[in-house]
Amino acid sequence: PKWSPDGEMLSTVSAGKARIWNPRTAEVLREFAQGDDPFPCEWSPDGTMLLTGALVERSLKVAVWDVRTGQQLMSRDYDKYLGGSWSTGNLLLLASENRAEILDLRAGKSLEVADIKLGYQRPSWQPSGRRVLICGRDRVLRVVDAQSGTGRGLSRHGCEN
């Protein structure tokens, strides 16, 4: 279970569904179908969106939901999903073994991060949300611009698994 950023709701995952609860009343506010073997949800920093994911027919299905309306904002299938990471500005970096993508769900934009095969460390957003640190499988640490998707390699130091 995870608290929403404002502490007013919480999310749980069980029995193939993600649920959003009012912890004061124990009422389920929203329920999202996930699939078999779901993994923990991630709230957007402003608490308006929820990233969910689950194994569906030998593929990992990732989705983002609007918490207020219950509308699915996006869905992706991955063979080897590594995780998602929200910026403070509600940009979402989705990472698989062979690709990284920055999504601006409010603007409906998707930006592929250039020439990066991700390693197994979670990406780290700069507090402003303009750049993200990504460690590639080549063990090069890169600073990636969230608007262009281009990265600049810093070093091989600091990218150990």
Side-chain angles (χ1 to χ4, degrees), residues 37-149:
D37 200 17
F39 51 87
C41 301
E42 293 290 334
W43 290 90
S44 64
D46 67 0
T48 63
M49 294 177 279
L50 192 69
L51 172 66
T52 66
L55 186 61
V56 178
E57 299 175 13
R58 295 188 301 195
S59 170
L60 288 167
K61 182 174 275 308
V62 177
V64 175
W65 306 88
D66 183 305
V67 171
R68 287 175 288 208
T69 67
Q71 177 185 3
Q72 187 177 38
L73 302 174
M74 77 71 146
S75 176
R76 299 276 193 281
D77 292 321
Y78 290 99
D79 289 332
K80 296 191 177 184
Y81 176 69
L82 297 176
S85 179
W86 292 97
S87 76
T88 54
N90 286 330
L91 295 178
L92 175 61
L93 176 76
L94 292 176
S96 73
E97 192 172 85
N98 296 314
R99 117 182 214 219
E101 179 179 22
I102 296 172
L103 302 168
D104 182 342
L105 296 166
R106 294 207 193 321
K109 294 180 182 177
S110 171
L111 179 65
E112 186 117 3
V113 176
D115 300 323
I116 293 180
K117 304 268 193 245
L118 288 181
Y120 296 97
Q121 291 183 351
R122 187 177 179 97
S124 174
W125 284 93
Q126 177 188 34
S128 71
R130 288 187 219 126
R131 296 182 286 182
V132 62
L133 282 174
I134 297 177
C135 185
R137 265 192 271 158
D138 57 4
R139 299 186 190 256
V140 173
L141 183 63
R142 290 175 179 83
V143 177
V144 175
D145 180 86
Q147 299 302 311
S148 69

